Amino acid sequence: MLTGDLTTYTSAACQGGKPVTLKAPYVNNQLPPSLLSPVALKMMTYYPPTTDPCGKEYYATVQNQDEHMGIARGDYQLTSKQSLFLRYFVTHSLQPTPFNGTNPLTETLSGADDMVNSGVFGHTYAISANIVNSFRATYNRSGVTKTQIPSFDGPDLGIDMTTLVPGHVVISAGTLSSAAIVSYAAKDPTDDHQLSDDLSWVKGKHQLTFGANWIREVQNVYGPLEGDGFFSFTGQTTGLALSDFLVGDVASFTQQGIQYDDERYQYFGAYAQDTWKATQHLTVNYGLRWEPYIGGSMAHGYVSHFDPGLFAAGVHSTVYPNGPAGVLYPGDSGFNTNDRPSHTKLDNFAPRIGVVWDPKGDGRMSIRASWGIFYDMPHTLFSYGFSEEPPWGDSITRTGVSFQNPWAGFPGGNPFPLQLNKNAYFPIPGTYTTYPLNIKNTYMEQWNFSIQKQVGANWLLSASYLGNDTIHLWADDPVNAAVYIPGVSTLATENQHRVLYLQNPAQGQYFGTIHSLDDGSTAEYDALLISANHRLSSHFTVLGNYTWSHCISGPFTSELDGTQYTDPYDRAFDRGNCGGIDRRHLINFSAVEEAPRFSNAWMRALASDWKLSEILQIQAGSYITVGAGTDVDLTGIGGQRASYNGAPTGASGNCSTGPACLNWLNPAAFVAPATGTLGNLGPANILGPGTFNINAALVRAFPVRETKRIEIRAEAFNLLNHIQPTNPGATVSSPATFGQITTFGNPRIMQFAGKFVF
């Protein structure tokens, strides 16, 4: 093959029973030696030779992991009124990379060298008999590090490029790959510091508490994703990816700047609260918390803001004049946020109130109700998208380039390493992230009402209603989605049909996807919980509960570089059941029965001291989203849904004869929408399979002497061996698996154990 002879490799024996003929002008499946890429031939010198006629290489990877943990504590009584404590915890996890240093095929995963440190200092001061102050200082550090042993990079192979990750390059050619993309060495250390103080003052019928809490979070991410260059060979030239590789016909080449996501977050909260024993029967708790939104800042100033009004007016940044119209950077007029994506917000007040009423004052019945507002703040990776955008995190993709010189013909030549100055390069198109300057923070209104009643000496019955509304849920608004133009739009021309391109092609060409934070989504949850509890008495204890619940959510995002609204003009189009977690009915039952202590010696020896325990769980299925699987609407937005055509949705005979397959949906009921349209199905509106499971254990202890005993135990998980199906495949573009359940939970597992206790 390395001499250009692919007759064996293209045969039926090496191609899954179907021979392949290379495209013209290649004759008789021969590649002229003069056309073989010196880069490809050089790369193959790093791989071990093989005598397999199809070129297969057999290898193994080794994954080892060591983990060590330590904990220390100290307590000191300073005076009769003051005490101190110190807690420290450390854990270190080390997982070497499976790369053996010689065979690049083993370079499948990165290693890990992770260390977590946590320390807490506390001081408690009893100022008087009714006033106590507690101070806490906390420090946490999480050092998450991916490691990789260098193998070879682009310059090592003779490629005229600048690698930002020495000793590493990604070259994908069908079954041949120089390294898996997940094998990058990277760092994600986070530190947080916290100071808090709480003062409790008991005065008459009131317990007054006051407190404040300050947290500072620091994150320093080094992410070299595609900083080494990613070459893809697809077979578009010769008909096979591997032969494309041998002649150096690159389908696409991508290189990106290193992502430095160095975010800083500040949190401050202060509160005042009173617990008031209003009467013998009634207790009221009420308070107010102040949580100003300070938000995150980017230590390197890697943050921007897009303003559609400035785009329309043709206004450019003075910091980066080559940047597209409408994008501002720290230092530009109108973006005075001190390296923050948005302004701070100081008027976040969160009141709360709760009441407990004992109607008779005998402690056998209570009625409780509460309501409160609770604010949320984003995690430190939420704004990671800023680290990937131009000009510091440019991702530049080229097609049809030379394997030996991928930057040949590129305006200005090789742009790496990127230069951050007034002449900085901006790709066409680029991906951008933006916040509204005057942002609204996510908060939840939460309430509940419950009644607990003791019945007899041993039973406790309870009924509760719980509800909440989430307001200003953060989502990703696709403000620059492509617009479908009948007869014109194609996947290849989507960037020329985006909103900004149609408005101003000269400037709009610089914009691909814009991840714009929208703070207008909402969610809600309602639940009814009924439970009964029999405490251990008369040789048995029982706990059973039933929950009916319903969760509805609009679109939201966990990081502002991911899933966007499916319909750019209708946020409500993606509002529906909470996918994966909305299970309407849940039943849980557990019980323990003890055999009585018989007086007869033989009965006591045979039947006493046995314990039988059971756990029953029944839950309704979660809801499934049936996806189209392709960009049918030609908007450049993923996650588009399928259409329902009115046919029965129940199981069909689509499964193969294999035993590990269960039909759940009828493929004939779901179709891809027409080109340029969105499906008529809502999100998460198809019910998946439920769960029924019983676990049981039988235990007995045999006394040997006064302080010694032998215990035997038999346990069964999924006692009835009931089938435990997961959700089916639900993407219409994958008809071979659509509607089929092919993965299942555990079958019946039984275990037996004996234990000697002394």
Side-chain angles (χ1 to χ4, degrees):
M1 294 165 65
L2 294 178
T3 64
D5 183 359
L6 269 68
T7 53
T8 302
Y9 180 70
T10 55
S11 67
C14 296
Q15 296 297 323
K18 186 176 181 180
V20 174
T21 301
L22 298 184
K23 297 178 181 179
Y26 303 104
V27 180
N28 297 326
N29 291 334
Q30 298 283 330
L31 304 175
S34 61
L35 297 183
L36 296 180
S37 167
V39 175
L41 296 179
K42 174 67 174 178
M43 176 175 156
M44 294 313 301
T45 64
Y46 287 88
Y47 287 78
T50 177
T51 58
D52 185 274
C54 297
K56 292 181 181 179
E57 175 70 30
Y58 296 89
Y59 63 97
T61 59
V62 177
Q63 293 186 12
N64 295 320
Q65 182 174 356
D66 293 303
E67 186 169 358
H68 303 274
M69 288 177 281
I71 188 168
R73 59 176 291 173
D75 296 272
Y76 183 62
Q77 192 70 32
L78 189 62
T79 68
S80 61
K81 293 185 175 182
Q82 299 186 62
S83 62
L84 308 174
F85 74 82
L86 183 67
R87 305 286 185 267
Y88 175 69
F89 172 76
V90 60
T91 179
H92 180 218
S93 175
L94 181 63
Q95 182 174 333
T97 172
F99 180 38
N100 64 11
T102 58
N103 185 356
L105 293 172
T106 62
E107 196 175 5
T108 55
L109 293 171
S110 60
D113 187 356
D114 303 333
M115 180 171 285
V116 174
N117 288 272
S118 178
V120 183
F121 168 78
H123 174 255
T124 302
Y125 182 21
I127 301 173
S128 66
N130 58 344
I131 301 177
V132 177
N133 188 81
S134 298
F135 170 79
R136 303 288 185 266
T138 304
Y139 172 73
N140 294 297
R141 176 174 175 79
S142 176
V144 178
T145 305
K146 285 186 174 183
T147 61
Q148 186 56 270
I149 300 174
S151 53
F152 56 83
D153 53 34
D156 290 335
L157 302 180
I159 301 175
D160 188 3
M161 62 176 291
T162 303
T163 182
L164 304 181
V165 188
H168 202 273
V169 66
V170 176
I171 299 173
S172 176
T175 56
L176 174 68
S177 180
S178 69
I181 294 177
V182 296
S183 65
Y184 287 102
K187 296 181 179 180
D188 184 6
T190 57
D191 295 78
D192 67 78
H193 314 76
Q194 181 173 356
L195 299 175
S196 65
D197 194 82
D198 300 276
L199 178 71
S200 176
W201 180 20
V202 177
K203 184 175 177 60
K205 295 183 177 181
H206 298 267
Q207 181 180 356
L208 305 171
T209 53
F210 308 91
N213 189 8
W214 170 79
I215 302 173
R216 181 176 183 264
E217 295 181 342
V218 176
Q219 173 180 279
N220 297 293
V221 171
Y222 165 81
L225 181 65
E226 294 181 345
D228 49 5
F230 177 28
F231 294 85
S232 176
F233 298 88
T234 61
Q236 64 180 12
T237 302
T238 65
L240 284 174
L242 191 58
S243 50
D244 274 13
F245 163 75
L246 287 172
V247 297
D249 283 334
V250 180
S252 66
F253 166 71
T254 299
Q255 192 168 9
Q256 186 173 10
I258 302 296
Q259 298 96 63
Y260 294 100
D261 185 35
D262 295 350
E263 301 183 37
R264 308 288 186 265
Y265 281 82
Q266 300 270 0
Y267 166 84
F268 178 77
Y271 73 93
Q273 182 173 291
D274 178 22
T275 301
W276 174 33
K277 184 71 173 178
T279 69
Q280 183 181 356
H281 302 270
L282 180 66
T283 301
V284 181
N285 180 287
Y286 54 94
L288 180 67
R289 190 173 186 89
W290 177 50
E291 295 183 340
Y293 176 74
I294 305 172
S297 62
M298 314 302 160
H300 292 291
Y302 290 173
V303 62
S304 68
H305 174 69
F306 173 72
D307 187 325
L310 296 180
F311 174 83
V315 176
H316 288 260
S317 167
T318 59
V319 178
Y320 296 112
N322 291 340
V327 181
L328 302 179
Y329 298 90
D332 284 322
S333 176
F335 191 43
N336 55 342
T337 59
N338 296 323
D339 296 342
R340 302 178 187 278
S342 64
H343 296 300
T344 57
K345 192 173 184 294
L346 302 180
D347 58 347
N348 289 348
F349 293 97
R352 58 201 66 187
I353 185 171
V355 296
V356 180
W357 181 41
D358 182 349
K360 297 183 178 181
D362 58 3
R364 297 178 63 87
M365 181 177 181
S366 66
I367 299 175
R368 304 169 186 265
S370 66
W371 170 88
I373 289 179
F374 305 88
Y375 280 93
D376 190 24
M377 65 180 294
H379 59 80
T380 54
L381 275 173
F382 184 85
S383 301
Y384 190 83
F386 285 118
S387 70
E388 300 177 290
E389 72 172 44
W392 46 78
D394 287 352
S395 177
I396 305 173
T397 298
R398 307 194 71 205
T399 58
V401 300
S402 163
F403 198 9
Q404 200 160 356
N405 187 3
W407 295 112
F410 188 78
N414 182 358
F416 292 94
L418 300 170
Q419 302 298 315
L420 297 183
N421 52 42
K422 288 185 177 295
N423 297 317
Y425 173 78
F426 285 79
I428 298 175
T431 299
Y432 292 84
T433 299
T434 186
Y435 279 31
L437 292 181
N438 296 308
I439 198 168
K440 295 181 175 65
N441 305 127
T442 302
Y443 71 88
M444 176 187 289
E445 287 192 64
Q446 182 173 301
W447 54 88
N448 65 71
F449 177 81
S450 64
I451 301 175
Q452 294 84 34
K453 173 66 175 176
Q454 181 179 338
V455 178
N458 301 311
W459 285 97
L460 177 65
L461 306 180
S462 175
S464 303
Y465 163 71
L466 305 94
N468 63 60
D469 274 341
T470 304
I471 313 298
H472 298 308
L473 191 60
W474 287 3
D476 192 338
D477 187 5
V479 296
N480 193 38
V483 177
Y484 176 69
I485 303 175
V488 178
S489 293
T490 65
L491 286 173
T493 62
E494 274 185 349
N495 284 328
Q496 286 74 48
H497 300 145
R498 292 185 180 273
V499 171
L500 298 181
Y501 189 97
L502 296 175
Q503 183 178 342
N504 181 348
Q507 292 300 311
Q509 66 178 330
Y510 287 94
F511 293 96
T513 299
I514 297 179
H515 296 283
S516 179
L517 191 152
D518 175 53
D519 55 20
S521 191
T522 60
E524 61 185 76
Y525 175 81
D526 294 281
L528 173 66
L529 172 62
I530 300 173
S531 68
N533 184 11
H534 181 276
R535 66 183 178 182
L536 184 59
S537 176
S538 303
H539 304 289
F540 78 97
T541 178
V542 171
L543 175 61
N545 58 66
Y546 165 74
T547 302
W548 174 91
S549 65
H550 189 196
C551 175
I552 301 175
S553 177
F556 65 94
T557 184
S558 59
E559 290 184 24
L560 196 58
D561 60 355
T563 304
Q564 298 188 296
Y565 293 161
T566 307
D567 186 343
Y569 310 104
D570 184 7
R571 177 196 302 136
F573 185 74
D574 291 325
R575 182 175 173 84
N577 298 321
C578 298
I581 61 173
D582 184 27
R583 297 181 182 268
R584 301 291 171 84
H585 305 280
L586 294 171
I587 297 175
N588 294 289
F589 175 86
S590 63
V592 177
E593 299 87 17
E594 294 181 341
R597 187 74 174 174
F598 295 97
S599 57
N600 180 274
W602 283 102
M603 286 295 295
R604 186 167 60 251
L606 294 174
S608 293
D609 301 322
W610 289 98
K611 288 185 179 180
L612 176 65
S613 60
E614 313 90 24
I615 299 176
L616 166 68
Q617 184 181 58
I618 304 173
Q619 59 182 11
S622 61
Y623 286 85
I624 308 163
T625 297
V626 178
T630 58
D631 184 7
V632 183
D633 196 30
L634 296 178
T635 56
I637 301 173
Q640 296 175 24
R641 299 187 291 275
S643 287
Y644 170 58
N645 62 13
T649 61
S652 72
N654 197 37
C655 270
S656 65
T657 56
C661 186
L662 179 68
N663 291 311
W664 188 259
L665 296 176
N666 177 15
F670 305 93
V671 296
T675 300
T677 66
L678 293 168
N680 59 23
L681 283 170
N685 64 347
I686 302 296
L687 185 63
T691 300
F692 178 90
N693 188 53
I694 297 178
N695 300 329
L698 183 63
V699 183
R700 184 175 180 185
F702 295 90
V704 179
R705 292 183 178 178
E706 184 176 354
T707 60
K708 300 177 178 64
R709 69 180 186 274
I710 295 175
E711 290 184 1
I712 60 171
R713 174 183 293 267
E715 295 175 322
F717 304 91
N718 190 6
L719 175 66
L720 302 182
N721 204 26
H722 195 277
I723 188 171
Q724 306 290 340
T726 61
N727 282 338
T731 303
V732 296
S733 62
S734 301
T737 57
F738 183 86
Q740 301 175 25
I741 298 173
T742 56
T743 58
F744 303 85
N746 289 326
R748 178 171 52 228
I749 297 174
M750 302 183 71
Q751 64 184 28
F752 304 89
K755 181 168 63 173
F756 177 55
V757 182
F758 60 93

mmCIF file of all heavy atoms in Angstrom, residues 595-600 603-610 700-702:
data_model
loop_
_atom_site.group_PDB
_atom_site.id
_atom_site.type_symbol
_atom_site.label_atom_id
_atom_site.label_comp_id
_atom_site.label_asym_id
_atom_site.label_seq_id
_atom_site.Cartn_x
_atom_site.Cartn_y
_atom_site.Cartn_z
ATOM 1 N N ALA A 595 -38.322 -11.520 62.453
ATOM 2 C CA ALA A 595 -38.969 -12.688 63.059
ATOM 3 C C ALA A 595 -39.030 -12.495 64.578
ATOM 4 O O ALA A 595 -38.099 -11.942 65.176
ATOM 5 C CB ALA A 595 -38.202 -13.951 62.719
ATOM 6 N N PRO A 596 -40.098 -12.921 65.212
ATOM 7 C CA PRO A 596 -40.184 -12.774 66.672
ATOM 8 C C PRO A 596 -39.174 -13.687 67.381
ATOM 9 O O PRO A 596 -38.640 -14.629 66.808
ATOM 10 C CB PRO A 596 -41.625 -13.195 66.979
ATOM 11 C CG PRO A 596 -42.007 -14.068 65.842
ATOM 12 C CD PRO A 596 -41.292 -13.549 64.637
ATOM 13 N N ARG A 597 -38.931 -13.365 68.628
ATOM 14 C CA ARG A 597 -38.018 -14.160 69.461
ATOM 15 C C ARG A 597 -38.844 -15.249 70.143
ATOM 16 O O ARG A 597 -39.593 -14.999 71.087
ATOM 17 C CB ARG A 597 -37.366 -13.275 70.512
ATOM 18 C CG ARG A 597 -36.287 -13.962 71.319
ATOM 19 C CD ARG A 597 -35.028 -14.156 70.514
ATOM 20 N NE ARG A 597 -33.946 -14.696 71.325
ATOM 21 C CZ ARG A 597 -32.779 -15.076 70.859
ATOM 22 N NH1 ARG A 597 -32.526 -14.962 69.564
ATOM 23 N NH2 ARG A 597 -31.849 -15.560 71.652
ATOM 24 N N PHE A 598 -38.742 -16.482 69.638
ATOM 25 C CA PHE A 598 -39.568 -17.572 70.146
ATOM 26 C C PHE A 598 -39.012 -18.091 71.467
ATOM 27 O O PHE A 598 -37.801 -18.086 71.709
ATOM 28 C CB PHE A 598 -39.633 -18.713 69.124
ATOM 29 C CG PHE A 598 -40.337 -18.329 67.843
ATOM 30 C CD1 PHE A 598 -39.615 -17.925 66.726
ATOM 31 C CD2 PHE A 598 -41.724 -18.344 67.771
ATOM 32 C CE1 PHE A 598 -40.254 -17.575 65.560
ATOM 33 C CE2 PHE A 598 -42.379 -17.996 66.605
ATOM 34 C CZ PHE A 598 -41.639 -17.602 65.492
ATOM 35 N N SER A 599 -39.906 -18.555 72.300
ATOM 36 C CA SER A 599 -39.488 -19.085 73.606
ATOM 37 C C SER A 599 -39.006 -20.526 73.498
ATOM 38 O O SER A 599 -38.118 -20.949 74.229
ATOM 39 C CB SER A 599 -40.646 -18.998 74.608
ATOM 40 O OG SER A 599 -41.784 -19.694 74.119
ATOM 41 N N ASN A 600 -39.591 -21.289 72.577
ATOM 42 C CA ASN A 600 -39.170 -22.674 72.397
ATOM 43 C C ASN A 600 -37.759 -22.707 71.840
ATOM 44 O O ASN A 600 -37.426 -21.990 70.901
ATOM 45 C CB ASN A 600 -40.142 -23.383 71.455
ATOM 46 C CG ASN A 600 -39.763 -24.832 71.217
ATOM 47 O OD1 ASN A 600 -38.957 -25.107 70.335
ATOM 48 N ND2 ASN A 600 -40.347 -25.744 71.993
ATOM 49 N N MET A 603 -37.583 -23.693 68.069
ATOM 50 C CA MET A 603 -38.126 -22.624 67.233
ATOM 51 C C MET A 603 -37.206 -21.411 67.242
ATOM 52 O O MET A 603 -37.019 -20.745 66.218
ATOM 53 C CB MET A 603 -39.519 -22.228 67.745
ATOM 54 C CG MET A 603 -40.597 -23.238 67.426
ATOM 55 S SD MET A 603 -40.885 -23.376 65.643
ATOM 56 C CE MET A 603 -41.521 -21.741 65.279
ATOM 57 N N ARG A 604 -36.637 -21.137 68.432
ATOM 58 C CA ARG A 604 -35.710 -20.007 68.505
ATOM 59 C C ARG A 604 -34.484 -20.262 67.643
ATOM 60 O O ARG A 604 -33.988 -19.371 66.954
ATOM 61 C CB ARG A 604 -35.307 -19.762 69.952
ATOM 62 C CG ARG A 604 -34.454 -18.519 70.129
ATOM 63 C CD ARG A 604 -34.334 -18.111 71.595
ATOM 64 N NE ARG A 604 -33.733 -19.156 72.415
ATOM 65 C CZ ARG A 604 -34.381 -19.875 73.317
ATOM 66 N NH1 ARG A 604 -35.675 -19.676 73.535
ATOM 67 N NH2 ARG A 604 -33.756 -20.812 74.020
ATOM 68 N N ALA A 605 -33.999 -21.485 67.618
ATOM 69 C CA ALA A 605 -32.812 -21.802 66.827
ATOM 70 C C ALA A 605 -33.097 -21.752 65.330
ATOM 71 O O ALA A 605 -32.241 -21.361 64.531
ATOM 72 C CB ALA A 605 -32.279 -23.175 67.218
ATOM 73 N N LEU A 606 -34.313 -22.145 64.930
ATOM 74 C CA LEU A 606 -34.621 -22.218 63.505
ATOM 75 C C LEU A 606 -35.220 -20.926 62.945
ATOM 76 O O LEU A 606 -34.918 -20.539 61.812
ATOM 77 C CB LEU A 606 -35.594 -23.381 63.240
ATOM 78 C CG LEU A 606 -35.065 -24.795 63.503
ATOM 79 C CD1 LEU A 606 -36.188 -25.817 63.332
ATOM 80 C CD2 LEU A 606 -33.910 -25.115 62.563
ATOM 81 N N ALA A 607 -36.058 -20.270 63.722
ATOM 82 C CA ALA A 607 -36.866 -19.197 63.132
ATOM 83 C C ALA A 607 -36.600 -17.817 63.699
ATOM 84 O O ALA A 607 -37.013 -16.815 63.104
ATOM 85 C CB ALA A 607 -38.352 -19.536 63.302
ATOM 86 N N SER A 608 -35.943 -17.656 64.811
ATOM 87 C CA SER A 608 -35.700 -16.325 65.377
ATOM 88 C C SER A 608 -34.550 -15.627 64.652
ATOM 89 O O SER A 608 -33.725 -16.250 63.967
ATOM 90 C CB SER A 608 -35.386 -16.434 66.872
ATOM 91 O OG SER A 608 -36.517 -16.880 67.586
ATOM 92 N N ASP A 609 -34.527 -14.304 64.836
ATOM 93 C CA ASP A 609 -33.420 -13.448 64.389
ATOM 94 C C ASP A 609 -33.306 -13.301 62.873
ATOM 95 O O ASP A 609 -32.287 -12.821 62.379
ATOM 96 C CB ASP A 609 -32.078 -13.942 64.947
ATOM 97 C CG ASP A 609 -32.056 -13.969 66.468
ATOM 98 O OD1 ASP A 609 -32.644 -13.041 67.063
ATOM 99 O OD2 ASP A 609 -31.478 -14.900 67.035
ATOM 100 N N TRP A 610 -34.310 -13.716 62.116
ATOM 101 C CA TRP A 610 -34.295 -13.476 60.667
ATOM 102 C C TRP A 610 -34.839 -12.072 60.381
ATOM 103 O O TRP A 610 -35.756 -11.600 61.051
ATOM 104 C CB TRP A 610 -35.156 -14.508 59.931
ATOM 105 C CG TRP A 610 -34.579 -15.888 59.906
ATOM 106 C CD1 TRP A 610 -34.892 -16.924 60.736
ATOM 107 C CD2 TRP A 610 -33.600 -16.376 58.994
ATOM 108 N NE1 TRP A 610 -34.169 -18.041 60.420
ATOM 109 C CE2 TRP A 610 -33.358 -17.738 59.337
ATOM 110 C CE3 TRP A 610 -32.895 -15.825 57.928
ATOM 111 C CZ2 TRP A 610 -32.455 -18.535 58.651
ATOM 112 C CZ3 TRP A 610 -31.994 -16.614 57.238
ATOM 113 C CH2 TRP A 610 -31.770 -17.941 57.595
ATOM 114 N N ARG A 700 -29.564 -13.063 58.694
ATOM 115 C CA ARG A 700 -29.691 -13.622 60.037
ATOM 116 C C ARG A 700 -28.337 -13.589 60.726
ATOM 117 O O ARG A 700 -27.293 -13.811 60.093
ATOM 118 C CB ARG A 700 -30.210 -15.056 60.021
ATOM 119 C CG ARG A 700 -30.422 -15.544 61.456
ATOM 120 C CD ARG A 700 -31.039 -16.889 61.585
ATOM 121 N NE ARG A 700 -31.184 -17.226 63.001
ATOM 122 C CZ ARG A 700 -31.614 -18.386 63.457
ATOM 123 N NH1 ARG A 700 -31.975 -19.337 62.616
ATOM 124 N NH2 ARG A 700 -31.699 -18.611 64.744
ATOM 125 N N ALA A 701 -28.376 -13.304 62.019
ATOM 126 C CA ALA A 701 -27.173 -13.305 62.852
ATOM 127 C C ALA A 701 -27.230 -14.495 63.810
ATOM 128 O O ALA A 701 -28.265 -14.761 64.435
ATOM 129 C CB ALA A 701 -27.083 -12.008 63.633
ATOM 130 N N PHE A 702 -26.106 -15.186 63.935
ATOM 131 C CA PHE A 702 -25.993 -16.325 64.843
ATOM 132 C C PHE A 702 -24.980 -15.950 65.921
ATOM 133 O O PHE A 702 -23.794 -15.781 65.624
ATOM 134 C CB PHE A 702 -25.512 -17.576 64.098
ATOM 135 C CG PHE A 702 -26.471 -18.080 63.071
ATOM 136 C CD1 PHE A 702 -26.407 -17.620 61.766
ATOM 137 C CD2 PHE A 702 -27.444 -19.006 63.406
ATOM 138 C CE1 PHE A 702 -27.283 -18.085 60.812
ATOM 139 C CE2 PHE A 702 -28.330 -19.479 62.455
ATOM 140 C CZ PHE A 702 -28.263 -19.018 61.152
#
